[in-house]
Amino acid sequence: MKIGFLIFPNMTVLDFVGPCQVLSQVPGAQIYVFWRDLCAVSTDAGFAVMPTHTFAEAPQMDVLCIAGGPGQREVMDDAQVLDFVRWQGASAKYVTSVCTGSLLLAKAGLLTGYKAGCHWVWRDQLESFGAIPVDARVVEDRNRLTGGGVTAGIDFGLILAAKLASDEVAQVIQLALEYDPAPPFDVGSPHKAGVEQRALVEQLFTQHYPIL
Amino acid sequence: MKIGFLIFPNMTVLDFVGPCQVLSQVPGAQIYVFWRDLCAVSTDAGFAVMPTHTFAEAPQMDVLCIAGGPGQREVMDDAQVLDFVRWQGASAKYVTSVCTGSLLLAKAGLLTGYKAGCHWVWRDQLESFGAIPVDARVVEDRNRLTGGGVTAGIDFGLILAAKLASDEVAQVIQLALEYDPAPPFDVGSPHKAGVEQRALVEQLFTQHYPIL
């Protein structure tokens, strides 16, 4: 079972690592990490990750997963990246994304007419690419499975692990990763946070990551 | 504010990436990722990460954080790694770990007489190194802050972010990372999982990752 992730410069590393950690534990999973070359790829967390394969070397994936992050804006206009996503997405069994990765899927035409999730700050942008934004942590529509912002990738990964293997396997992975979250504050969604906190996050992101 | 992570071959990548993603967003944070050389370091999730600095290049960190994972057993006997951890831990403002990283901290003598957390499968091993195992997601004892297994690193990271900056900053980071977890199953701790699930995880880990 071939599970492929697209990475790109200045990505949000946890968007990718959350689901990758979960899905790499599914029996029979082979992880592929794609970029146009095999050089180290920067992330937004101060260190770089290594691709395992170039676009040109890629066999057809069973699962395609697109992460998001500040670097999203540049790859949204990168024809080579869009072609790769379109080509893999056309035949993958599951076409998936986490966070603003859904904007890239949508730009590649893979979410046209599909319900999809996204990081809450950018969710409405999905409409301009023909997708139907849904305010949920994980959104399923036919073979599209899309997650909300960053940490939603862990919940997304476990839901996908259950589909790829079984509930029992996903549960053992959840216990192995000791995923019994205890957030220190109750402000992790825009519905729970205050107006000022939301404004601050939107302001920070608009300054640093003007995504469109 | 210098925040340093030790990485090592066959580490559990989410142990490191969870807190690194959170702490990299703290204003003024500089992330250092250490290994003995600057070659790519393998992880247990099918791809490699890049160190940013060698042990020899390391300035004194304000925060030292040690991740865990299958490769733990080998670095537990690596004098160069233990020396680096001991040296940094002697003067760091916060000496921290996630998952089985606490076993390495303990082996380096940095948890002697301290309460500490660990992945539930290996938690009791802390005693053989003079630490006091505590069954909690995040354990604080003076300037030691240690997390439970893997995903505990995100909760740990937010608690540490609040200490390094403020509750307000940690809350904005939590909202930015949309950390409002919704695990698909309620089996993420050994207290919530069934006997068979616990046995399966222990069996898997004992087969693949004989840690001591």
Side-chain angles (χ1 to χ4, degrees):
Chain A
M1 184 168 31
K2 295 181 174 62
I3 303 179
F5 292 86
L6 172 74
I7 60 172
F8 52 83
N10 205 14
M11 69 184 303
T12 293
V13 66
L14 187 52
D15 284 9
F16 151 58
V17 170
C20 186
Q21 182 77 65
V22 171
L23 295 170
S24 68
Q25 313 298 310
V26 173
Q30 294 173 273
I31 298 295
Y32 291 75
V33 179
F34 295 110
W35 182 232
R36 70 172 102 249
D37 57 40
L38 293 178
C39 300
V41 170
S42 69
T43 74
D44 67 345
F47 69 98
V49 298
M50 295 300 292
T52 62
H53 296 78
T54 65
F55 298 156
E57 295 166 336
Q60 175 62 52
M61 294 294 107
D62 297 301
V63 176
L64 174 67
C65 185
I66 314 291
Q72 181 78 34
R73 192 173 68 141
E74 286 194 30
V75 290
M76 289 279 281
D77 295 324
D78 186 319
Q80 194 188 13
V81 170
L82 290 171
D83 282 351
F84 174 74
V85 170
R86 210 174 277 126
W87 162 54
Q88 285 288 339
S91 303
K93 193 173 164 195
Y94 288 101
V95 177
T96 75
S97 62
V98 173
C99 199
T100 54
S102 56
L103 294 175
L104 186 60
L105 272 190
K107 177 89 186 275
L110 290 164
L111 291 180
T112 307
Y114 285 84
K115 292 180 199 163
C118 186
H119 190 292
W120 63 272
V121 170
W122 294 279
R123 191 190 304 126
D124 290 347
Q125 309 274 8
L126 281 169
E127 277 187 322
S128 31
F129 302 109
I132 304 153
V134 175
D135 179 3
R137 195 144 173 93
V138 179
V139 179
E140 187 179 353
D141 186 354
R142 289 156 280 174
N143 75 334
R144 268 55 166 175
L145 202 66
T146 51
V150 197
T151 55
I154 299 172
D155 302 320
F156 153 88
L158 288 166
I159 289 169
L160 184 52
K163 290 179 183 296
L164 296 173
S166 65
D167 281 4
E168 289 69 28
V169 164
Q171 286 165 3
V172 167
I173 294 172
Q174 185 176 340
L175 178 58
L177 301 178
E178 210 168 328
Y179 187 47
D180 182 33
F185 309 103
D186 194 21
V187 296
S189 91
H191 305 294
K192 294 176 176 176
V195 175
E196 283 176 23
Q197 286 166 324
R198 286 201 302 274
L200 199 48
V201 170
E202 286 177 324
Q203 187 190 345
L204 281 170
F205 281 156
T206 320
Q207 273 172 10
H208 294 297
Y209 318 143
I211 207 156
L212 281 177
Chain B
M1 185 169 28
K2 295 181 173 62
I3 303 179
F5 292 87
L6 174 75
I7 61 172
F8 52 83
N10 207 14
M11 69 184 304
T12 293
V13 66
L14 187 53
D15 284 10
F16 150 57
V17 170
C20 185
Q21 182 76 65
V22 171
L23 295 171
S24 68
Q25 313 298 312
V26 173
Q30 294 172 274
I31 299 295
Y32 291 75
V33 179
F34 295 109
W35 183 235
R36 73 172 100 249
D37 56 40
L38 293 178
C39 300
V41 171
S42 69
T43 75
D44 67 345
F47 69 98
V49 298
M50 296 299 292
T52 62
H53 296 77
T54 65
F55 298 156
E57 294 167 335
Q60 174 63 51
M61 294 293 108
D62 298 300
V63 176
L64 174 68
C65 184
I66 314 291
Q72 181 78 34
R73 191 174 69 143
E74 287 195 30
V75 290
M76 290 279 281
D77 294 325
D78 186 318
Q80 194 188 10
V81 170
L82 290 171
D83 282 349
F84 174 73
V85 170
R86 209 174 279 127
W87 162 55
Q88 284 288 339
S91 303
K93 192 172 163 194
Y94 288 101
V95 176
T96 75
S97 63
V98 173
C99 199
T100 53
S102 55
L103 293 174
L104 186 60
L105 273 190
K107 178 88 186 276
L110 290 165
L111 290 180
T112 307
Y114 285 84
K115 293 180 197 163
C118 186
H119 190 292
W120 64 271
V121 170
W122 293 280
R123 191 189 304 126
D124 290 346
Q125 308 274 7
L126 281 169
E127 276 187 321
S128 30
F129 302 108
I132 305 153
V134 175
D135 180 3
R137 194 142 175 94
V138 179
V139 178
E140 186 178 354
D141 186 352
R142 288 156 281 175
N143 75 335
R144 269 55 167 175
L145 202 68
T146 51
V150 198
T151 56
I154 299 173
D155 301 321
F156 153 87
L158 287 167
I159 289 169
L160 184 52
K163 290 180 185 295
L164 296 173
S166 66
D167 281 5
E168 289 70 26
V169 163
Q171 287 166 2
V172 166
I173 294 171
Q174 185 176 340
L175 178 58
L177 300 178
E178 210 168 327
Y179 187 48
D180 182 34
F185 309 103
D186 194 22
V187 296
S189 92
H191 305 293
K192 295 177 174 175
V195 174
E196 283 175 23
Q197 287 167 322
R198 285 201 302 272
L200 199 49
V201 170
E202 286 177 325
Q203 187 190 345
L204 281 170
F205 281 155
T206 321
Q207 273 172 8
H208 295 297
Y209 318 142
I211 207 155
L212 281 176

